[in-house]
Each structure stands twice: as structure tokens, then as C-alpha cells.
Amino acid sequence: MAVQEALRVVAERIGSLPQPCASCDARERNFCAALSPAEMAEFARTMSEAALPTGGILFHEGAPADHVMNVTSGAVKLFKLLGDGRRQILGFRFAGDFLGLSTGADYVYSAEALGESRVCRFPRRKLDALRERYPNVDRRLLALSIEELAGAQEQLLLLGRKTAEERLVSFLILLSQNQVRRGLVADPITLAMTRSDIADYLGLTIETVSRTFSSLKKKGLIELEDTTHVHLVDRDRLEDLAAGFA
Amino acid sequence: MAVQEALRVVAERIGSLPQPCASCDARERNFCAALSPAEMAEFARTMSEAALPTGGILFHEGAPADHVMNVTSGAVKLFKLLGDGRRQILGFRFAGDFLGLSTGADYVYSAEALGESRVCRFPRRKLDALRERYPNVDRRLLALSIEELAGAQEQLLLLGRKTAEERLVSFLILLSQNQVRRGLVADPITLAMTRSDIADYLGLTIETVSRTFSSLKKKGLIELEDTTHVHLVDRDRLEDLAAGFA
DNA sequence: CGTGACCTTGAAAGCCTTCAACTCGGGTGG
DNA sequence: CCACCCGAGTTGAAGGCTTTCAAGGTCACG
């Protein structure tokens, strides 16, 4: 199976890069923020950074959840599959984001690199030990988890009740906010993902996504420099659309 | 506004019932499980149980999130609204379930009683104090939060990629599992919610929900004793349907 | 310069929604 | 007591938004 093969490749790459990930302790969107520099240094020994090619698999749904990880560069998509191959992307994670927590023994979704990316992995057992020793870690993970839940609930509203146009506009605004959160500009949005990924995130087809981009452009609400760079022309109108004010 | 009026009614009812909720410390699906009986007794003074009529509002999206709560009897629906009134139900909570956590100052969704229900409320400030003193509380809340997130992600797959029939079947199976989790029988499912609630949970209309019930009945996959009691005839086939094996 | 991945656009089809009519059961008031 | 009303649910028919099927365009790459 192609997935198993990819996993093996990833495992090899990870094994070949034993150095700790220097950027983790400076990040605000992962659990490391709960640790002091000294604690961080002690923990760094058990971490390792891995390089992933485009399409590289971080882990697959149903596989033993024995690592958690931070994205240190690039971007990652999280997704679930149905029996006949239909795919739903749950979300995208960018540099500084944390992923991989699970209460059960296995991952409940798959994760794959959008472009060339790097992730900092560490054993779940070590994380559990850390949680025992430093209560702040649980507090931090809880805050992250609640934030993630709120994001998923917003996406439930999108998938259950919004039209194609409202979905795409909501997505663009979310990406814009995401860029601000990462210290980038709000306005020219850079799409790290393909139309296919966008479609699977918004519960649409690539054709509908493409058509909706064209329609928004024709209405003068957005401008497309090229397929990966979007300019939000009428932000207020777009916000209203995303919020469902018909 | 009707909502504000309902909130006022709820507030009055809560104020009139200052006694602690005896069932909380025996529950497995709320944070109380992290406390010893002694700790629980000490904390119980700050709790109060409230009776809610059908349709009673627990809290509204955007209101200050100054309480968390356990459902002690009955059932509750959590939902979000779009600007023009479209509604998406995020989930249902039953006796023993916990709700109301938020990282920000406000609730990010609304909560309303399905039928006559009781909830045990306590101040968020008190909960924060408890988290400071007992690290187990954060651990417990984290586990609950991760479980809730996994449920939301499963629902994203449902809303984004499943057909009407697959959605309804998935919902029935979820309810069945829920009943088992609450110590009830797996098979005759009792629907505590209306067709309208089911529709808003599944991202459909009431007509489609009704038609799909009829269709499943005609196929011999389920039986409807009355509108609120469903018997799963061919469980294996239903499981396959829900998993998207066309 | 051929090839393939990604994207766009058009036309037809389909699943679900919208609109509408009808049934059923419970509560109410004459 | 029972006609009446109303909410909840079911079913039919038409319509619409998105999908499916199909074709063509662009660009990177070997």
C-alpha cells in the first residue's frame, strides 16, 4: 500500500535527523510555551526534527499515536477518509502549530505535508512524563485543545449550513486571520494548498471552488494575482457574506 | 427579544435552587471525576442545580462565559446561528455530560434544553481556582476536550462528505453508542429531539430527514415503532453505510 | 517540445431543497 | 363532549445549487 510505503520513508527521514528543533521553545501555539528555558533544554534531547517532501505522510488514521509534533516550517493538512475514498480535510496546520494529541491508542485522522515541510516530533510517553512533572503543560494543552474545538465547531457551521460562496469567503477570511496570527500581512493571501485541498476542506468539488473563485472575482470582491495569491478587495462585504447575511 | 427573556427566566430558576447537585461526583463524563469525595464536598457549596423547561436557554453564543455546567437529567442541544437565522446544531449533551468551557470571555455557541432538564452550574472563577489547586482537574478537562474534538471531527466528515442516508444512519449509530455509554440498551433508540433538531444537526431539512427515515424503513434497515423510537434491524449493513462503503 | 498535474469553463444530471398539501395527536374552549 | 387549532411529521412535485462529465488551457519539467 502506498501509505505504508510513505510512512516507512518518513520514519527513515526522522531517524536520520536526531537534532532537537530549535524553534519550538519560541512558539506560542504549541505546548512548549508552558516550559521554562531550562525545562525545555532538558526535554530537547528527546525531540527530533524531520524533513517531509510534498505529500509526505506524518501519520495515518488508525496508526498507533506514539508521537505528538509541532510544525516548524511549511504546512500540513489533517484529513479523514470514507470507505470509498471520499476525503474530508479537517484543517490545515502551519509553522508553530501543534498536532497529534489523542486520548486513545491511535490517531483519529491522517496528516500529510502540503509542500516541503519540517516537523518536530517527540514521543507521547515523554510528553506524558512531562505532564506529570509540570502541571502547566496540561493547562497549555487544554487551552490549545479548546481553541481547536472552537475552530472545528465554526467549521461545522460552515459545512452544515453555508453556501459554496459563503464557504470560500469564510475560508479566505480565516486564512487572512491565520496570516496575521503568524505575523504576516493580512491582505495578499497566499494559498499553500491546491484547489483539490480547498474543495475537500470546504465539502465541495474542485470545479465548484474554481467557479466560485471566478464568480467572486467577477463581482469585484476579490482579485487573483495568480492561482495562489488572493487580494480581498471588499473586506466588509466579504465579512458579511461569511457570516451569512444574505 | 425572546432569547433575553428566556435567559432571565433561567437565571431566576437557578437562583431559586441553591442546593448542590448530588449526582455530579458519581459521573464519568465531567470534571468531577478528577476530585476526591472530600474535595468534592468542599467544592459542592459553590454549585447549584437548575431546572429548565423544554426550550429553556442555558446560555447564548456571545454571552459572558462565567459558568460551566453538567447536565444532570434530560438533554441539551448546542448550536450556532448564521446572520439570517440558519442554524447548525453542534451536538447533543445528555445526563452526565459536561459543557461550557471556553478560552475566551464569551461562549462560542448557544445551549438549549431539548425537554425538561436539569443542569448543575458552577462559576468559572471557582473552577479556575480548583484547577490551580488540583492538577488532576486540568488533566481531566483535557481528556474530555480531546474526546469532544474527536467527535466534532467525525461530524466534519459527516457534514462535508456523507449523503443524507449516510448522515442519518451515522446519527442513529452514534445515538445507539451513546445509550450504551450511558448504561442503556443499544437497540431501541429513543430520539429525544425533533426532526427539526435532527435536520439542523445533520445539515439537512426536516423533509429530507423524514424521507430518509421512510426510505430506510422501506429498505428494511430500520423499524419505527413511533416517531421517537427506532429499531436497528440490520446493524452490520447500517455500519457499512455509515462508514461510506457505497 | 511532449507530458502531466493543476486549473478553468461549459453542459447535463442529480441530490437535496423549497413549496405545498395532507395526516396525526394533544390541548383548549365553547 | 367535541369541534377547533396548532405543532410535528409525512409525502408529492417542482426547482435550484452543486456535482458529474467533458473539453480545453496553462505551466513546470524532463
Side-chain angles (χ1 to χ4, degrees), chain B residues 144-176:
Chain B
L144 289 172
S145 180
I146 292 174
E147 283 294 335
E148 201 170 336
L149 178 60
Q153 290 171 335
E154 190 62 41
Q155 190 70 357
L156 289 178
L157 178 63
L158 181 150
L159 292 175
R161 288 304 181 208
K162 291 187 184 177
T163 65
E165 183 175 65
E166 290 165 347
R167 293 183 198 199
L168 185 55
V169 170
S170 300
F171 177 60
L172 293 176
I173 290 175
L174 180 65
L175 283 181
S176 174

Side-chain angles (χ1 to χ4, degrees), chain B residues 163-165 168 199 204-215:
Chain B
T163 65
E165 183 175 65
L168 185 55
L204 302 169
T205 61
I206 55 175
E207 294 94 332
T208 299
V209 169
S210 184
R211 267 187 265 271
T212 307
F213 266 121
S214 300
S215 165

Side-chain angles (χ1 to χ4, degrees), chain B residues 118-131:
Chain B
R118 301 180 75 82
V119 296
C120 177
R121 299 181 358 143
F122 28 88
R124 180 173 163 177
R125 284 206 334 273
K126 299 282 183 178
L127 177 64
D128 288 339
L130 205 67
R131 291 172 55 190

Side-chain angles (χ1 to χ4, degrees), chain B residues 76-92:
Chain B
V76 163
K77 61 187 171 197
L78 316 182
F79 61 94
K80 291 171 82 88
L81 297 172
L82 285 176
D84 60 0
R86 277 171 286 172
R87 184 178 68 157
Q88 177 63 41
I89 292 184
L90 308 173
F92 300 100

Side-chain angles (χ1 to χ4, degrees), chain B residues 36-105:
Chain B
S36 71
E39 292 160 359
M40 190 67 204
E42 181 191 341
F43 191 60
R45 288 179 296 104
T46 66
M47 301 196 280
S48 62
E49 194 170 13
L52 290 158
T54 299
I57 309 277
L58 282 75
F59 52 83
H60 203 267
E61 179 176 0
D66 42 32
H67 286 82
V68 294
M69 48 207 87
N70 290 332
V71 180
T72 51
S73 80
V76 163
K77 61 187 171 197
L78 316 182
F79 61 94
K80 291 171 82 88
L81 297 172
L82 285 176
D84 60 0
R86 277 171 286 172
R87 184 178 68 157
Q88 177 63 41
I89 292 184
L90 308 173
F92 300 100
R93 296 293 178 268
F94 301 94
D97 289 330
F98 175 76
L99 67 150
L101 271 190
S102 163
T103 54

Side-chain angles (χ1 to χ4, degrees), chain A residues 2-117:
Chain A
V3 168
Q4 298 303 325
E5 174 60 23
L7 277 172
R8 205 156 39 241
V9 171
V10 170
E12 285 171 15
R13 285 171 178 272
I14 288 169
S16 68
L17 286 160
Q19 73 274 21
C21 124
S23 61
C24 284
D25 58 344
R27 294 298 177 179
E28 294 187 354
R29 292 191 304 288
N30 58 49
F31 79 96
C32 299
L35 300 179
S36 71
E39 293 161 359
M40 190 66 203
E42 180 191 339
F43 191 59
R45 286 180 297 104
T46 66
M47 301 197 281
S48 62
E49 196 170 11
L52 290 158
T54 299
I57 309 278
L58 281 74
F59 53 82
H60 202 267
E61 180 177 358
D66 41 32
H67 286 82
V68 294
M69 49 207 88
N70 290 332
V71 180
T72 50
S73 78
V76 163
K77 61 187 170 198
L78 316 182
F79 62 94
K80 291 172 81 88
L81 297 173
L82 286 176
D84 61 359
R86 278 171 285 172
R87 185 178 66 156
Q88 178 63 40
I89 291 185
L90 308 173
F92 301 99
R93 296 293 179 267
F94 301 94
D97 289 330
F98 175 77
L99 67 150
L101 271 190
S102 163
T103 53
D106 301 327
Y107 293 114
V108 294
Y109 53 79
S110 306
E112 182 181 325
L114 281 182
E116 301 214 342
S117 305

